[in-house]
Amino acid sequence: MSKTYRGYTLEQVAKTIDHSILKPDFTYADVAAGAELALKYNTASYCIRPMDVVAAAKALAGSSVNVCTVIGFPHGSTTTASKVFETIDAIGNGAVEIDMVINVSALLSGDYDFVEQDIRAVVDAAHAKGASVKVIFETAFLNDSQIVKACELTEHAGADYVKTSTGFASEGATTHNVALMKQTVGDRLKVKSSGGVRTLDQLIDYMDLGVTRSGCSATGQVLEEFIAKAV
């Protein structure tokens, strides 16, 4: 019988993690080491910068770890055409999961038609190639009503996930925001917590709220903590 912690097995926790290597100062060696770690623990995906997709796809070939990359990252303010090009390029290089940043400025300005169109363009490009799309809100900039609106626009645009944060703003995921997003989308979309997820209990708190993915750069630390605590 598998050991568990708080009702979850190591495999369940690992398959919630998108192991993330996204900082601009990470080297090629860091990217290679990140792929090895994702393979070691069999995480859900390895989320890397667009420039690293080819290397990640090669390193993960034949495994069950998906290649994930970020689009319009980290500010979401690139043009829709740029986001679509990035998406098509990334999928062509081996990505099967696309994490795009919402146009935060347009959302805060109340230009909801543009926000939805921006998301839909990426969704259409990704889905045409069989890739899934997670939409990053950057909740640090949003109040509750804006988070709800972002969820609604994301659903209308046909995306697969709503996601809290890039990890590059003043605040990442919170239990309040994750619960609000889950309450808004129900089981129609999936929820990804991201930004500041650094401990095992924190990650499991989000799992208990209904997330199926959690961005994490401290994957090794979190999963070794699981191994130490599981009974």
Side-chain angles (χ1 to χ4, degrees):
M1 185 174 180
S2 298
K3 291 184 177 182
T4 63
Y5 178 70
R6 289 180 58 181
Y8 297 97
T9 65
L10 178 63
E11 181 182 14
Q12 287 173 317
V13 174
K15 278 301 184 188
T16 302
I17 294 175
D18 289 347
H19 180 51
S20 304
I21 297 292
L22 295 168
K23 291 181 180 179
D25 58 337
F26 282 136
T27 65
Y28 295 168
D30 293 323
V31 173
E36 290 180 9
L37 190 147
L39 285 170
K40 175 182 177 180
Y41 292 107
N42 196 24
T43 59
S45 82
Y46 183 34
C47 188
I48 32 73
R49 304 166 300 194
M51 63 173 279
D52 303 315
V53 170
V54 171
K58 182 177 180 180
L60 300 174
S63 77
S64 65
V65 180
N66 288 340
V67 178
C68 173
T69 195
V70 289
I71 300 299
F73 196 85
H75 301 305
S77 54
T78 50
T79 65
T80 300
S82 296
K83 290 179 179 177
V84 169
F85 177 85
E86 279 190 281
T87 299
I88 294 170
D89 185 57
I91 295 170
N93 288 333
V96 296
E97 298 187 9
I98 299 297
D99 287 23
M100 70 161 287
V101 187
I102 205 167
N103 192 307
V104 180
S105 176
L107 181 68
L108 293 174
S109 299
D111 192 356
Y112 303 137
D113 288 343
F114 176 80
V115 173
E116 184 176 333
Q117 175 271 325
D118 188 58
I119 299 168
R120 182 179 288 109
V122 170
V123 168
D124 288 348
H127 284 181
K129 300 292 185 178
S132 62
V133 178
K134 310 183 196 92
V135 179
I136 308 170
F137 294 170
E138 205 66 286
T139 49
F141 299 130
L142 310 179
N143 60 33
D144 284 6
S145 63
Q146 290 163 338
I147 290 170
V148 169
K149 188 64 178 180
C151 286
E152 293 170 349
L153 295 170
T154 299
E155 182 173 358
H156 293 161
D160 304 286
Y161 289 78
V162 291
K163 175 179 171 181
T164 56
S165 320
T166 63
F168 286 76
S170 59
E171 182 182 66
T174 66
T175 53
H176 172 81
N177 288 341
V178 167
L180 178 62
M181 291 162 69
K182 179 62 178 175
Q183 179 183 1
T184 304
V185 303
D187 294 327
R188 299 183 302 280
L189 275 70
K190 298 174 183 178
V191 180
K192 176 176 174 178
S193 53
S194 186
V197 183
R198 297 187 182 93
T199 70
L200 175 62
D201 282 303
Q202 188 180 25
L203 189 147
I204 292 179
D205 285 344
Y206 294 133
M207 293 176 70
D208 285 346
L209 289 171
V211 306
T212 55
R213 292 291 182 88
S214 207
C216 184
S217 59
T219 302
Q221 174 185 319
V222 166
L223 295 179
E224 286 302 318
E225 185 182 356
F226 183 99
I227 292 167
K229 290 182 173 180
V231 294

